[in-house]
Amino acid sequence: DQQVKQNSPSLSVQEGRISILNCDYTNSMFDYFLWYKKYPAEGPTFLISISSIKDKNEDGRFTVFLNKSAKHLSLHIVPSQPGDSAVYFCAASTKGGGNKLTFGTGTQLKVEL
Amino acid sequence: EPEVTQTPSHQVTQMGQEVILRCVPISNHLYFYWYRQILGQKVEFLVSFYNNEISEKSEIFDDQFSVERPDGSNFTLKIRSTKLEDSAMYFCASSFREGDNQPQHFGDGTRLSIL
């Protein structure tokens, strides 16, 4: 099941710079997209989401962009902080049917001092 | 901030034994979910539950699996006869309602180890 893909397994960024995490999807029925952050030994923590009727959603240092024609979304973190170091998962769902989430494989972000 | 709590954090069980994983969803949430993550693999959907019945289940969720909301607060996942391949992190999640773009909130998981 490769409906949601995160092609970069890892990303290293300097503190204060922008982190850009990417996600691609293949199922055109997806209409709600989410980003989760996960620390070791913890569950995924919800960060930010976007509906398919929008192309941008912003919350503090986090912005998610959605390009429906390219079936691509990205998460921008600016400025990046050392506490942002974690695995970031992209997830998607469709309306109805219990709204199950389909996850990507995750990108390990390391923010260096 | 309200959170989803899961117990135990780690469960070790002999193959063929029954195991029950427990979850307390966020109190005003109505939709409940179980996911699992086998080491090195994606987080995978198992089942969703609303109004005391299963809304959707994946191919993984076969007859060996069952879910129950035995009271107003707990949500459990039972595996009747565990197999080695059931070893994984199991995450419970809940959301306020379906649709209207409600995010699911996850617990910290139960690590299930089958020997």
Side-chain angles (χ1 to χ4, degrees):
Chain A
D1 180 0
Q2 293 291 313
Q3 296 187 75
V4 178
K5 299 180 196 178
Q6 292 176 257
N7 291 319
S8 298
S10 64
L11 174 67
S12 188
V13 170
Q14 278 199 313
E15 181 182 13
R17 307 294 288 265
I18 185 171
S19 297
I20 300 177
L21 297 104
N22 294 302
C23 178
D24 297 294
Y25 62 95
T26 57
N27 187 346
S28 56
M29 298 299 291
F30 287 144
D31 58 7
Y32 182 48
F33 304 89
L34 309 90
W35 284 95
Y36 286 86
K37 177 169 78 171
K38 187 180 181 303
Y39 295 117
E42 294 185 11
T45 300
F46 170 70
L47 269 179
I48 192 169
S49 62
I50 188 166
S51 160
S52 60
I53 63 172
K54 295 185 175 181
D55 54 21
K56 177 183 174 181
N57 189 25
E58 194 171 350
D59 183 1
R61 296 186 298 115
F62 302 93
T63 303
V64 56
F65 295 92
L66 175 62
N67 182 336
K68 287 187 291 294
S69 61
K71 294 191 176 69
H72 177 83
L73 65 156
S74 60
L75 174 68
H76 292 210
I77 307 172
V78 56
S80 301
Q81 299 172 353
D84 296 330
S85 297
V87 177
Y88 288 78
F89 290 99
C90 167
S93 71
T94 60
K95 280 197 180 68
N99 276 22
K100 71 177 186 182
L101 294 179
T102 301
F103 280 84
T105 48
T107 297
Q108 172 77 59
L109 173 66
K110 184 176 180 183
V111 180
E112 298 172 320
L113 297 171
Chain B
E1 185 173 325
E3 56 183 30
V4 176
T5 56
Q6 289 186 243
T7 55
S9 57
H10 190 190
Q11 174 79 46
V12 181
T13 302
Q14 291 287 333
M15 186 172 61
Q17 296 296 303
E18 174 183 287
V19 66
I20 298 175
L21 309 182
R22 302 180 192 281
C23 170
V24 179
I26 294 172
S27 61
N28 64 340
H29 284 188
L30 301 176
Y31 291 83
F32 314 113
Y33 311 83
W34 283 101
Y35 293 80
R36 78 172 187 190
Q37 186 179 28
I38 294 171
L39 189 63
Q41 297 186 22
K42 288 185 179 186
V43 176
E44 303 172 285
F45 169 79
L46 291 178
V47 66
S48 57
F49 190 86
Y50 168 70
N51 199 26
N52 277 322
E53 60 183 29
I54 290 173
S55 304
E56 187 174 0
K57 59 183 181 180
S58 71
E59 294 173 353
I60 304 166
F61 194 88
D62 62 21
D63 292 344
Q64 293 300 312
F65 290 86
S66 62
V67 289
E68 192 179 31
R69 188 154 163 81
D71 53 41
S73 60
N74 290 285
F75 179 51
T76 61
L77 174 69
K78 182 194 289 186
I79 309 175
R80 252 178 285 280
S81 177
T82 49
K83 304 188 278 284
L84 292 176
E85 54 265 37
D86 293 327
S87 295
M89 281 292 293
Y90 287 80
F91 294 107
C92 174
S94 67
S95 65
F96 178 55
R97 58 177 178 264
E98 183 185 271
D100 294 337
N101 302 327
Q102 293 291 311
Q104 295 174 28
H105 295 271
F106 285 75
D108 284 340
T110 293
R111 178 173 300 282
L112 178 62
S113 301
I114 307 300
L115 304 178

